[in-house]
């Protein structure tokens, strides 16, 4: 179904889009349009709707002012890329027939995955000239892994953020998706261009905390790492100082990708996508994660080893008025947390209570939380420390083992393995503490996702430390691990 909304001076529609999946909308026809300019179809991302392009965003207005005809479509905000890809494939032919020519797609975040499924698996490529993706997580997001982890599940369940979209964006699941998609012969048919960001949101915001957590996995925009935004057969336009929100704003990126809207592309099979390959890399162990539920008072212990340059404590909760007091080893209290509500994908609606300590004293810190009602929380402590690069994990597909490795450290590891089938938890298994160089067997329970939460504790420079590494692994029906 199509609708046309006239353009206001501000660039916004006079009426709001319905948000009904499958409905699509036409922007006003610009008077300065050119026959050589392809119309643009904008596709929104996870937990959003088509109005993301013109509500508090000048992308639509910028495209209009540059003489481009535009269309916008609503897809399911909380479903996986397979369902959205099938939906897009049904509707794109109608949009193509309306314009009478091929379309350029501009997709934000998961919208790029939805569109790639439509192109590669559902036959939409004859109607699309090329696709430009803005911070699309081609290899998933570690924040989705966190939402399904031993600690994050407490809060994600309450917020309702454990859905098909989040489940599909776990890194293990996305590695399986890449093997299914990148092997298709038509994957080179439609040229793909990518943009990625390296900035985070304001302090204590969802994208700031996301940036802190993802820092262990490389440069990121607060939700998606730069490495995840790249695929080997796409051409990277630019990596810039955008966060996951500003990268889709017209004043931020339209002029950057504008030359690629009408570029005459040679046979894409012969193009080189220099520097855009996704390179696997062990993450740094920069986070300690815990979580749970309580009423009254609870305490969390934070061990700070020597040499930590910065420590940021983020208490993510379903309560806005959490009462938190952080106490250092000298019994000094640090009660001044900044509170901000999460407005992004994976924990949307929760409240971030954030405090950063520079050059924190080594030793045992205590975080006390009190609440008059039941509170569900996720605690993430992010460290800038020489220790971070000394810990890593490695997956051995041959013997189905995940190994926790360290350089000259004494440590033990507790591992919880949560096994999911089709998004539903089937088994939760906690492994006993293991000695250094521990290897944990991934159980063979059938096809599905195995989310492994590894809690590592040990000694560094004669001071205790704690870190958490979360890894999702997908096993297919033949026992192959991704």
């Amino acid at each position: 179904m199509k609708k046309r909304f006239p353009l206001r001076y501000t660039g916004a529609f006079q009426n709001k889009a319905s948000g009904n999946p499958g409905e699509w909308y036409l922007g006003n026809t610009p008077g300065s349009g050119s026959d050589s300019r392809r119309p643009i179809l904008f596709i929104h991302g996870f937990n959003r709707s088509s109005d993301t392009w013109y509500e508090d965003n000048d992308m639509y207005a910028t495209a209009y002012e540059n003489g481009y005809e535009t269309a916008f479509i609503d897809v399911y905000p909380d479903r996986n890329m397979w369902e959205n890809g099938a939906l897009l494939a049904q509707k794109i032919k109608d949009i193509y027939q309306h314009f009478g020519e091929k379309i350029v797609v501009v997709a934000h975040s998961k919208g790029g995955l939805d569109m790639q499924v439509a192109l590669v698996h559902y036959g939409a490529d004859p109607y699309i000239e090329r696709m430009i993706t803005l911070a699309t997580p081609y290899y998933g997001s570690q924040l989705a892994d966190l939402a399904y982890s031993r600690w994050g599940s407490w809060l994600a369940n309450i917020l309702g953020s454990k859905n098909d979209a989040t489940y599909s964006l776990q890194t293990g699941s996305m590695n399986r998706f890449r093997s299914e998609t990148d092997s298709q012969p038509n994957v080179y048919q439609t040229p793909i261009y990518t943009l990625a960001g390296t900035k985070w949101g304001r302090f204590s915001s969802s994208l700031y905390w996301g940036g802190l957590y993802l820092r262990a996995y490389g440069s990121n925009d607060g939700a998606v790492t730069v490495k995840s935004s790249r695929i080997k057969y796409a051409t990277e336009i630019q990596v810039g100082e955008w966060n996951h929100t500003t990268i889709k704003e017209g004043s931020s990126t339209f002029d950057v990708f504008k030359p690629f809207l009408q570029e005459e592309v040679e046979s894409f099979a012969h193009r080189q996508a220099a520097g855009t390959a996704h390179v696997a890399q062990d993450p740094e162990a920069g986070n300690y994660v815990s979580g749970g539920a309580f009423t009254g008072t609870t305490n969390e212990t934070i061990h700070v080893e020597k040499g930590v340059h910065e420590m940021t404590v983020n208490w993510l909760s379903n309560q806005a008025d959490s009462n938190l007091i952080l106490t250092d080893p000298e019994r000094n209290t640090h009660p001044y947390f900044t509170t901000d509500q999460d407005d992004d994908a994976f924990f949307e609606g929760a409240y971030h209570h954030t405090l950063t300590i520079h050059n924190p004293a080594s030793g045992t810190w205590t975080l006390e939380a009190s609440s008059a009602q039941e509170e569900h929380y996720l605690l993430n402590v992010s460290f800038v420390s020489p220790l971070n690069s000394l810990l890593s994990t490695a997956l051995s597909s041959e013997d189905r083992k995940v190994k926790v490795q360290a350089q000259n450290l004494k440590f033990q590891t507790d591992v919880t393995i949560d096994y999911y089938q089709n998004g539903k938890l089937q088994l939760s298994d906690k492994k006993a503490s293991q000695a250094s160089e521990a290897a944990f067997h991934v159980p063979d329970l059938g096809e599905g996702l195995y989310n492994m939460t590894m809690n590592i504790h040990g000694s560094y420079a004669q001071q205790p430390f704690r870190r958490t590494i979360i890894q999702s692994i997908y096993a297919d029906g033949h026992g192959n691990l991704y």
Side-chain angles (χ1 to χ4, degrees), residues 116 133 136-139 175 177-185 187-188 190-194 226-237 268-280:
Q116 192 179 30
T133 62
T136 287
Y138 287 102
Y139 286 82
N175 275 285
F177 173 78
R178 293 263 60 90
S179 73
E180 292 176 298
T181 300
D182 295 349
S183 61
Q184 299 299 316
V187 75
Y188 295 93
T190 303
I192 299 175
Y193 300 87
T194 68
V226 172
K227 289 196 292 289
S228 185
S229 75
R230 295 168 167 166
I231 42 175
K232 61 183 179 182
Y233 46 83
T235 300
E236 186 172 83
I237 297 175
F268 189 61
H270 298 97
R271 288 183 65 93
Q272 289 186 346
T276 64
H278 177 91
V279 179

Side-chain angles (χ1 to χ4, degrees), residues 39-112:
I40 305 172
L41 172 63
F42 289 96
I43 302 176
H44 65 83
F46 177 37
N47 271 6
R48 293 295 179 262
S49 62
S50 59
D51 62 8
T52 193
W53 298 106
Y54 54 86
E55 289 289 334
D56 300 318
N57 186 357
D58 58 357
M59 181 63 81
Y60 168 43
T62 305
Y64 175 85
E65 290 161 2
N66 279 268
Y68 286 88
E69 291 184 280
T70 54
F72 307 82
I73 189 168
D74 279 306
V75 296
Y76 294 103
D78 56 357
R79 297 192 187 179
N80 62 40
M81 63 284 295
W82 297 104
E83 290 192 64
N84 280 342
L87 178 66
L88 284 168
Q90 292 174 7
K91 301 298 179 180
I92 278 174
K93 186 176 181 180
D94 295 337
I95 301 173
Y96 164 83
Q97 290 175 339
H98 168 79
F99 287 115
E101 60 180 315
K102 283 190 173 184
I103 304 159
V104 175
V105 167
V106 175
H108 178 237
S109 194
K110 181 177 168 288

Side-chain angles (χ1 to χ4, degrees), residues 344-405:
D344 205 60
F346 299 106
F347 294 93
E348 188 171 9
Y351 295 89
H352 292 271
H353 308 276
T354 310
L355 177 64
T356 294
I357 305 292
H358 298 282
N359 299 312
S362 61
T364 301
W365 293 61
T366 301
L367 179 61
E368 181 182 277
S370 56
S371 178
Q373 53 190 318
E374 185 178 41
E375 181 168 339
H376 295 257
Y377 71 94
L378 171 65
L379 170 65
N380 179 69
V381 185
S382 176
F383 297 97
V384 177
S385 170
L387 171 67
N388 295 358
S389 61
L390 303 181
L391 287 163
S392 64
T393 61
L395 171 64
S396 173
S397 298
E398 291 77 15
D399 56 6
R400 297 182 65 93
K401 288 184 177 179
V402 174
K403 297 179 180 180
V404 181
Q405 304 170 108

Side-chain angles (χ1 to χ4, degrees), residues 186-376:
N186 64 341
V187 75
Y188 295 93
Q189 189 70 33
T190 303
I192 299 175
Y193 300 87
T194 68
L195 273 74
T198 59
K199 295 287 283 186
W200 307 345
R202 66 187 183 281
F203 181 78
S204 86
S205 69
S206 57
L207 292 179
Y208 183 85
W209 166 73
L212 282 171
Y213 183 82
L214 292 174
R215 178 170 56 187
Y217 302 90
S219 298
N220 66 86
D221 65 0
V224 174
T225 65
V226 172
K227 289 196 292 289
S228 185
S229 75
R230 295 168 167 166
I231 42 175
K232 61 183 179 182
Y233 46 83
T235 300
E236 186 172 83
I237 297 175
Q238 187 173 323
V239 175
E241 293 188 347
W242 308 295
N243 64 40
H244 199 65
T245 296
T246 59
I247 199 169
K248 63 179 171 66
E249 295 175 353
S251 54
S252 296
T253 56
F254 187 87
D255 285 344
V256 177
F257 64 73
K258 179 181 176 181
F260 297 85
L261 291 171
Q262 296 303 131
E263 180 190 14
E264 292 299 326
V265 183
E266 299 174 0
S267 174
F268 189 61
H270 298 97
R271 288 183 65 93
Q272 289 186 346
T276 64
H278 177 91
V279 179
Q281 179 179 331
D282 292 333
E284 291 193 346
N287 297 294
Y288 167 66
V289 184
S290 184
F294 73 97
T295 304
T297 301
T298 191
N299 288 284
E300 288 279 355
T301 300
I302 302 170
H303 292 294
V304 179
E305 71 274 7
K306 290 182 179 178
V308 174
H309 303 299
E310 182 182 281
M311 173 180 71
T312 299
V313 178
N314 184 78
W315 180 273
L316 188 59
S317 166
N318 63 324
Q319 302 296 331
D321 55 353
S322 298
N323 186 18
L324 301 169
I325 298 177
L326 182 66
T327 304
D328 64 26
E330 304 297 324
R331 309 307 301 166
N332 299 310
T333 58
H334 306 263
Y336 303 111
F337 284 76
T338 300
T339 300
D340 204 340
Q341 190 168 23
D342 197 310
D343 58 359
D344 205 60
F346 299 106
F347 294 93
E348 188 171 9
Y351 295 89
H352 292 271
H353 308 276
T354 310
L355 177 64
T356 294
I357 305 292
H358 298 282
N359 299 312
S362 61
T364 301
W365 293 61
T366 301
L367 179 61
E368 181 182 277
S370 56
S371 178
Q373 53 190 318
E374 185 178 41
E375 181 168 339
H376 295 257

